[in-house]
Amino acid sequence: MVKRRIKQNELSILKRELRFLEKSEVLPIEKTKEIEALYDVEKLSFTKTLLYVGSILIGAGVLSFVASNWGEIGKTIKFLFIIGLFIACNFAGYKMEIHYQKTSKSLYYLGVLVFGAGIFLVEQMFHLGQSFQASFLWWSLGIFPLAWVLRDKWILFASSVFALVYLLDEHYLQGGSIPYWILLWIAAIYILNGKIGFSKKTGFVTAVLSLAFIGTMISFFINGYEYFQDPSYMYGLIYLIIGVVLVFLKGKMRDIYVIVGYLTHGAAALILSFEGTWPLDWLYIPFSLLYILFVLYLINRGSLLSIIILCVMIFRFYLDISFAFLPKSFVFIIGGFLLLGFGFYFEKQRKKGVGIHE
């Protein structure tokens, strides 16, 4: 009988639920053992590790050799070498797809590395003068079709990361312009991620990519206004609202986006909890009190992430106050006890089976 391979944490959850069904007398002990025997822990493939590490080393070695001897090689030979190496990697990967799937995939990954490094080397060779982030954009665009054809989650993940690096260009972050077309790219990555079997990693990066795009819009519209000398509170409030909306859309979207919502409103609230963030210094106090009440409401609904956010907020104010009035030794001792208490409470809630973001 072929066992279904799952991750260790998934197996732990399965065992916990089977124990619960045993105690509830829904399933007999023999049946739970029979179900448990159908699963096995997914182990890291030694062959895959060798192949993938080998591909990275080959790619790094070849490109390092080319880069170190770049001045001694003619432009035509340089360009043909890069193109030839890229084609060779993908052609070899294609030929080995049927009989040697793991080796084939490692060659495709090597091709992805060669393609990216080739972009930077050609840029240097022809003195194109584009920004560092723009090269990552072309890398993202170039490997996306390969992710589509191969239905490969890791290549798509890399494409989304490279797109994020591009969007973090200083020109966009400072409000120079808004790259509206990036919305099409976000949509393309989102759709393909769903079609090839949703990857939480890519989903998370896509969500961060969307938040970064919103950041470029904020920067663009407030750029040049004298009233927004320090626009930190504007960023904080907008991201706080976005995070809260994502949290309340639970059940209507994938869980990873809800988790991003918690992280977003938690980070935004932490920024807004400092006195210097607001145009009126005293506003941070009523805001912090209202936000803590909101987090307590989420905790009452059974959210573990909200417990973590509350702990961070409490610890932030503890450090702010205690450093002003207590000796440093007491600050660390009391802080340690606080963290132990937070950890104990968090574990206790997990034992009860409270969800991450219910």
Side-chain angles (χ1 to χ4, degrees):
M1 179 181 63
V2 179
K3 292 187 176 183
R4 177 175 171 79
R5 293 185 175 274
I6 57 177
K7 296 178 181 178
Q8 181 62 55
N9 64 320
E10 294 173 337
L11 185 61
S12 299
I13 294 171
L14 176 65
K15 288 181 178 180
R16 186 183 67 192
E17 294 304 312
L18 289 175
R19 297 294 89 78
F20 171 75
L21 293 173
E22 280 182 14
K23 292 179 181 178
S24 303
E25 298 182 351
V26 175
L27 288 175
I29 297 176
E30 294 77 14
K31 192 64 178 177
T32 57
K33 288 182 178 179
E34 183 181 336
I35 294 172
E36 192 175 320
L38 295 172
Y39 296 86
D40 198 4
V41 178
E42 187 180 56
K43 297 178 181 178
L44 183 65
S45 171
F46 181 68
T47 305
K48 279 186 179 181
T49 304
L50 287 177
L51 289 169
Y52 295 165
V53 172
S55 297
I56 294 171
L57 291 175
I58 292 171
V62 171
L63 295 169
S64 175
F65 171 77
V66 173
S68 61
N69 294 277
W70 205 237
E72 306 299 323
I73 306 173
K75 287 186 178 181
T76 304
I77 297 175
K78 294 173 188 175
F79 187 73
L80 290 175
F81 177 81
I82 293 168
I83 297 296
L85 185 59
F86 175 69
I87 293 173
C89 290
N90 286 282
F91 181 75
Y94 172 74
K95 284 295 184 180
M96 293 186 175
E97 267 187 5
I98 298 176
H99 301 292
Y100 302 98
Q101 294 179 358
K102 294 176 181 178
T103 304
S104 171
K105 187 164 286 191
S106 68
L107 289 169
Y108 282 127
Y109 292 163
L110 177 57
V112 168
L113 292 174
V114 170
F115 179 77
I119 291 173
F120 290 100
L121 293 174
V122 169
E123 176 190 342
Q124 178 187 0
M125 180 172 63
F126 292 105
H127 307 289
L128 299 179
Q130 62 181 4
S131 68
F132 176 73
Q133 281 86 353
S135 299
F136 278 96
L137 171 64
W138 292 113
W139 199 352
S140 174
L141 293 170
I143 64 177
F144 181 84
L146 187 63
W148 183 13
V149 172
L150 299 178
R151 305 181 71 82
D152 190 284
K153 296 180 181 180
W154 283 106
I155 297 178
L156 183 62
F157 172 70
S159 179
S160 64
V161 170
F162 298 153
L164 178 60
V165 173
Y166 163 73
L167 200 56
L168 295 178
D169 191 306
E170 187 177 358
H171 172 73
Y172 296 129
L173 293 179
Q174 292 183 351
S177 62
I178 303 175
Y180 288 108
W181 70 269
I182 202 72
L183 290 173
L184 296 174
W185 199 233
I186 294 172
I189 294 172
Y190 175 83
I191 293 170
L192 184 58
N193 191 30
K195 285 185 176 296
I196 66 176
F198 186 80
S199 167
K200 290 183 179 180
K201 296 183 290 294
T202 304
F204 179 82
V205 176
T206 306
V208 175
L209 189 58
S210 303
L211 293 173
F213 172 76
I214 292 170
T216 65
M217 292 183 63
I218 300 171
S219 298
F220 179 79
F221 287 115
I222 67 176
N223 190 24
Y225 285 91
E226 293 183 2
Y227 182 73
F228 297 114
Q229 291 295 327
D230 184 4
S232 301
Y233 73 97
M234 285 296 298
Y235 286 97
L237 287 173
I238 292 172
Y239 281 117
L240 178 76
I241 294 169
I242 293 171
V244 171
V245 169
L246 288 174
V247 167
F248 282 105
L249 285 176
K250 181 184 180 295
K252 297 180 180 179
M253 59 173 53
R254 295 183 186 272
D255 287 348
I256 189 63
Y257 301 123
V258 180
I259 292 174
V260 170
Y262 276 98
L263 296 176
T264 302
H265 78 67
L270 185 63
I271 293 170
L272 292 169
S273 69
F274 287 93
E275 182 179 1
T277 305
W278 297 86
L280 299 175
D281 293 342
W282 57 269
L283 281 174
Y284 84 100
I285 298 175
F287 167 80
S288 299
L289 291 173
L290 288 172
Y291 181 73
I292 288 173
L293 289 174
F294 170 69
V295 173
L296 288 171
Y297 162 74
L298 293 178
I299 291 173
N300 189 53
R301 291 177 61 191
S303 168
L304 276 179
L305 280 175
S306 296
I307 296 174
I308 297 174
I309 293 171
L310 179 63
C311 293
V312 171
M313 291 293 290
I314 293 174
F315 199 67
R316 169 258 177 281
F317 280 104
Y318 162 74
L319 291 177
D320 199 19
I321 296 170
S322 60
F323 267 114
F325 298 103
L326 293 174
K328 288 184 179 180
S329 57
F330 282 105
V331 172
F332 291 125
I333 291 171
I334 298 172
F337 277 113
L338 276 174
L339 291 177
L340 287 173
F342 292 153
F344 170 75
Y345 181 69
F346 187 82
E347 185 178 9
K348 184 180 178 183
Q349 293 301 105
R350 292 207 69 174
K351 291 286 185 182
K352 289 181 180 179
V354 176
I356 293 293
H357 49 76
E358 290 180 357

